[in-house]
Amino acid sequence: MKLALATSMTSLVVAFTACTEEPHLSSNRGKSFEEFKASVYREPGEHGVYVISGDVPVANDAELFKIWQATEGGALSVYTEGGADVVWNATQKKQLTYCVSTAFGANKTTIETALNEATKNGWEKMANVKFIHVTAQDANCNAANPNVMFDVNPVNSGGQYLARAFFPNFTRDQRNVLVDNTAFTGGAGNWPLKNVLGHELGHVLGFRHEHIRPEANAGQCAEDNQFRALTPYDAASVMHYPQCNGTSTDLSFTARDKTGVEALYGAPVVNVAPMAQINAPMEGATVGADFDVTTQIVDENLKDVELLIDGNSVTVKTTGPFTFPVTGLAKGAHTIDINATDSEGLVTSRSVSITVGNTGGGGGGGNSLTDNEIQGGCATGQTSAPWSGVVLLGFVVGLLRRRR
Ligand SMILES: [Zn+2]
């Protein structure tokens, strides 16, 4: 049914053009734990042990996970101090409470929505962690409030950064996520706010910048060596600044981010619906008649991803990258939906409302939108050059130095 409808609407959708970011169903270099598990022989019977390396018995999933972690776990890098990982313990990781300051004013709903995307629809879909917004503390949301693990506050950094965060071993008064007003418009990189927050909350979970690894060859972005690699190097990681030889244009999550956060905090306790996000167009954007719907999907048992326009199924893709070109969409208001479905039928749906405005008919000019030019979208062809040397995100290094 869906496929038939997709066929009938082929005029609307042509072959995909990929953004630099390439989402994958699961890590395709380095195995995910599920892939590793599936490759290991298990003796028959309800309590059968796993057998690895020919004759080494492994009692259960938990033990097997430890072995996978040591051997296959390799794309995020966790902060270390004195050789030990700086992470939340088993209790804390499920109680990452925070408040959102009422000082955000008219932006409060926007920041709350974006935080929800970065947490419930982001990191929590990929690992056994839980962020909890304690709304009762919002009116008293400051660095001295002991009733939350951290506070989220607006800041005017004078253009120094979009946002900054902290690491798990910081004291309560230092545990702040500060969001500059420029982050609401994406800054120079035009990144979705939810992805900027996904990055910052990655620091909150203990992750360092992926570009500090030697593989990035990003001397201009050097920090220090206090990290332990959890996965193979991932140039597209949410923790990798694009301007530091990264390959992501929208700072979205990757399959290796899931592998990395799982290695540190364990997989979600039950099969959860896919981590699915629309990165472009952004909610409320005005676009030309031709544009890409850029999404990021991370899931270990993904079945397919469906694009709908105004409630009509347009196409269904079973393999990434999940970028859907749209051409010739009529002027006016439209709704773009995606449904990401896993093999157990769990579905994550995301939706944005957009407007197709006046275009230059492909020629464009002035301030009018040209084809494939999306406000807040995946700006294909952008390189690191425009952002070189500009600190766009976290200021954690400065904080670390201050603490020493
Ligand atoms: Zn950062």
Side-chain angles (χ1 to χ4, degrees):
M1 181 65 181
K2 288 173 181 171
L3 290 171
L5 188 53
T7 306
S8 71
M9 296 184 71
T10 44
S11 63
L12 193 62
V13 176
V14 295
F16 62 82
T17 50
C19 286
T20 315
E21 173 80 325
E22 291 184 18
H24 299 284
L25 290 183
S26 61
S27 178
N28 62 351
R29 292 159 280 191
K31 289 175 184 167
S32 70
F33 175 63
E34 290 303 320
E35 289 166 333
F36 173 62
K37 191 169 125 179
S39 73
V40 175
Y41 172 69
R42 188 172 198 179
E43 289 176 349
E46 196 183 342
H47 302 291
V49 299
Y50 293 101
V51 180
I52 62 169
S53 303
D55 62 354
V56 180
V58 180
N60 51 41
D61 280 21
E63 293 302 312
L64 191 66
F65 187 81
K66 285 182 198 165
I67 289 165
W68 167 80
Q69 239 180 304
T71 56
E72 297 287 353
L76 278 187
S77 309
V78 62
Y79 179 41
T80 61
E81 217 170 64
D85 291 351
V86 177
V87 292
W88 301 104
N89 67 31
T91 305
Q92 293 168 326
K93 73 177 186 178
K94 303 291 283 182
Q95 294 175 13
L96 299 171
T97 55
Y98 66 93
C99 55
V100 181
S101 175
T102 51
F104 278 105
N107 279 335
K108 187 160 184 282
T109 304
T110 304
I111 191 86
E112 286 172 344
T113 302
L115 281 163
N116 211 45
E117 290 298 303
T119 56
K120 289 192 173 30
N121 295 314
W123 289 113
E124 290 177 31
K125 290 258 194 262
M126 301 191 285
N128 190 19
V129 295
K130 190 159 185 59
F131 291 87
I132 301 165
H133 179 190
V134 184
T135 54
Q137 302 299 325
D138 287 359
N140 186 32
C141 189
N142 56 52
N145 187 331
N147 300 313
V148 287
M149 197 72 94
F150 65 97
D151 59 273
V152 183
N153 265 282
V155 69
N156 184 350
S157 72
Q160 290 299 301
Y161 58 82
L162 289 177
R164 69 94 167 144
F166 61 92
F167 288 120
N169 63 344
F170 281 34
T171 55
R172 172 62 197 90
D173 61 317
Q174 298 172 320
R175 291 201 300 260
N176 338 105
V177 173
L178 302 183
V179 184
D180 192 74
N181 44 23
T182 54
F184 288 88
T185 52
N190 227 356
W191 301 322
L193 179 62
K194 63 176 186 279
N195 293 0
V196 171
L197 293 170
H199 175 103
E200 296 308 328
L201 294 176
H203 288 312
V204 170
L205 290 172
F207 299 119
R208 295 297 303 271
H209 287 142
E210 186 71 357
H211 54 255
I212 65 176
R213 293 173 60 164
E215 298 97 317
N217 196 24
Q220 75 276 26
C221 304
E223 293 176 14
D224 59 49
N225 293 320
Q226 288 181 249
F227 68 91
R228 176 174 73 87
L230 295 162
T231 69
Y233 169 68
D234 181 8
S237 169
V238 68
M239 301 311 295
H240 198 307
Y241 281 1
Q243 71 271 30
C244 300
N245 300 348
T247 58
S248 173
T249 55
D250 54 21
L251 209 69
S252 196
F253 292 112
T254 67
R256 284 194 180 182
D257 290 332
K258 175 175 170 61
T259 304
V261 73
E262 246 187 53
L264 210 53
Y265 291 108
V269 284
V270 292
N271 175 45
V272 295
M275 195 297 295
Q277 304 202 324
I278 298 176
N279 288 319
M282 288 191 191
E283 173 64 29
T286 298
V287 300
D290 302 343
F291 58 92
D292 286 348
V293 177
T294 306
T295 77
Q296 182 68 309
I297 317 292
V298 177
D299 194 49
E300 279 169 358
N301 60 337
L302 186 68
K303 182 163 77 66
D304 59 42
V305 181
E306 177 184 30
L307 171 74
L308 302 93
I309 298 180
D310 300 327
N312 297 312
S313 181
V314 172
T315 194
V316 177
K317 293 181 73 169
T318 56
T319 54
F322 296 103
T323 298
F324 300 87
V326 174
T327 59
L329 195 59
K331 284 182 191 172
H334 296 279
T335 305
I336 307 286
D337 296 286
I338 58 161
N339 293 328
T341 306
D342 75 9
S343 60
E344 293 182 19
L346 297 180
V347 184
T348 299
S349 302
R350 314 306 304 153
S351 181
V352 293
S353 298
I354 61 155
T355 302
V356 173
N358 291 320
T359 72
N367 292 323
S368 69
L369 294 166
T370 57
D371 290 351
N372 283 320
E373 187 177 5
I374 301 174
Q375 290 180 344
C378 176
T380 50
Q382 272 188 339
T383 67
S384 61
W387 309 327
S388 292
V390 182
V391 178
L392 290 169
L393 283 168
F395 224 42
V396 284
V397 177
L399 279 175
L400 287 170
R401 293 196 175 124
R402 198 183 70 200
R403 292 177 62 236
R404 286 181 188 138

